[in-house]
Amino acid sequence: DNFNSKYWQKLDNERKYPDEFVKALTESGYLACLIPEKYGGSGLPLEAASVILEEIHRSGGNGAACHAQMYIMGALLRHGSEKQKKKYLPNISTGKLRLQAFGVTEPDAGTDTLSIKTKAELIQSQYVINGQKVWTSRAEYSDLMLLLARTSNDKKLKRTEGLSLFLIDMQKAKSRGMTIKPIKTMINHASTEIYFDNLKIPKESLVGEEGKGFK
């Protein structure tokens, strides 16, 4: 009853993020359902996550406010290093950190992910990122973001290669070259466009193998 239609209509009119709703889901453990028990989650299968989201919508809620955490989680669980998992997963489980943003779509790429141009160049022990993302929902309310960027322009590579996945600490990035601008939309999904201007991130931000981010 706390998150009925009036709650969502009010938020939509005021263009606000449903902090109370996300907090309630986090404290109940639902947003950590896919995280293994050793990192503070429930260790449930993907089917369980689907049921949770279905029930949220069946009850009149809006799972889009935080569903990204569930589908982004797979990349970190399957391809993240043990160091990354130990560093982030426990805090994501408790809600201390939010993994809600997924930087993929670009103005000139749209749904053609293989055409993205945002570049991540490895210089010594850091990746330097330049480019732009658009329709990145929840970026203003997330602590962490998964970013897909191009690490190679080698024409000999397959189109599915040369892209890499990064886990970015957005709170640090905001003062180091990342700019977030809200986009007003008909339905409030907290959409944004993000600019990267020589953003430097640690080499350890890479998730999985370089050049294999699309897979």
Side-chain angles (χ1 to χ4, degrees):
D1 290 341
N2 292 331
F3 307 111
N4 54 25
S5 294
K6 290 183 178 180
Y7 171 81
W8 294 104
Q9 289 171 5
K10 185 174 185 294
L11 286 177
D12 197 64
N13 288 332
E14 297 176 356
R15 311 203 66 78
K16 290 185 177 180
Y17 184 77
D19 280 301
E20 302 88 354
F21 174 72
V22 175
K23 181 180 179 181
L25 281 183
T26 301
E27 292 179 347
S28 67
Y30 289 130
L31 284 189
C33 68
L34 297 176
I35 298 177
E37 292 184 25
K38 67 176 181 178
Y39 301 117
S42 303
L44 297 177
L46 186 60
E47 290 83 354
S50 298
V51 171
I52 290 171
L53 290 175
E54 287 177 1
E55 184 61 24
I56 288 173
H57 287 281
R58 189 195 69 80
S59 302
N62 184 0
C66 51
H67 73 304
Q69 185 157 299
M70 291 186 178
Y71 69 75
I72 289 175
M73 193 62 64
L76 182 56
L77 294 178
R78 289 194 296 269
H79 304 290
S81 66
E82 186 61 27
K83 183 177 180 180
Q84 288 172 329
K85 293 176 183 179
K86 288 182 177 178
K87 180 178 181 180
Y88 296 112
L89 291 180
N91 286 330
I92 293 174
S93 295
T94 61
K96 185 176 181 180
L97 291 177
R98 286 181 183 170
L99 174 57
Q100 290 288 328
F102 194 19
V104 179
T105 307
E106 297 183 3
D108 297 324
T111 57
D112 184 9
T113 302
L114 299 179
S115 296
I116 66 172
K117 298 178 180 178
T118 294
K119 183 179 180 181
E121 183 180 7
L122 182 61
I123 300 178
Q124 297 180 343
S125 61
Q126 295 179 315
Y127 281 97
V128 181
I129 301 175
N130 285 282
Q132 179 187 359
K133 297 294 181 180
V134 71
W135 306 120
T136 303
S137 299
R138 300 164 296 275
E140 295 176 282
Y141 307 99
S142 183
D143 298 294
L144 303 170
M145 174 176 64
L146 273 183
L147 174 73
L148 189 65
R150 187 165 297 283
T151 46
S152 176
N153 286 308
D154 190 342
K155 301 299 182 182
K156 296 180 181 179
L157 294 175
K158 296 179 180 179
R159 290 194 73 213
T160 55
E161 299 178 335
L163 298 173
S164 300
L165 194 63
F166 300 91
L167 184 61
I168 295 180
D169 184 329
M170 298 184 73
Q171 302 309 315
K172 292 181 179 179
K174 288 177 182 178
S175 61
R176 298 179 180 178
M178 183 183 76
T179 303
I180 302 173
K181 294 185 177 181
I183 300 176
K184 289 186 177 182
T185 55
M186 183 178 295
I187 299 176
N188 180 26
H189 283 303
S191 294
T192 68
E193 54 184 334
I194 304 178
Y195 297 88
F196 301 96
D197 184 14
N198 289 322
L199 171 65
K200 297 178 181 178
I201 61 174
K203 184 178 180 180
E204 293 74 26
S205 301
L206 177 69
V207 177
E209 185 179 349
E210 183 177 291
K212 305 295 182 182
F214 183 79
K215 297 181 179 179

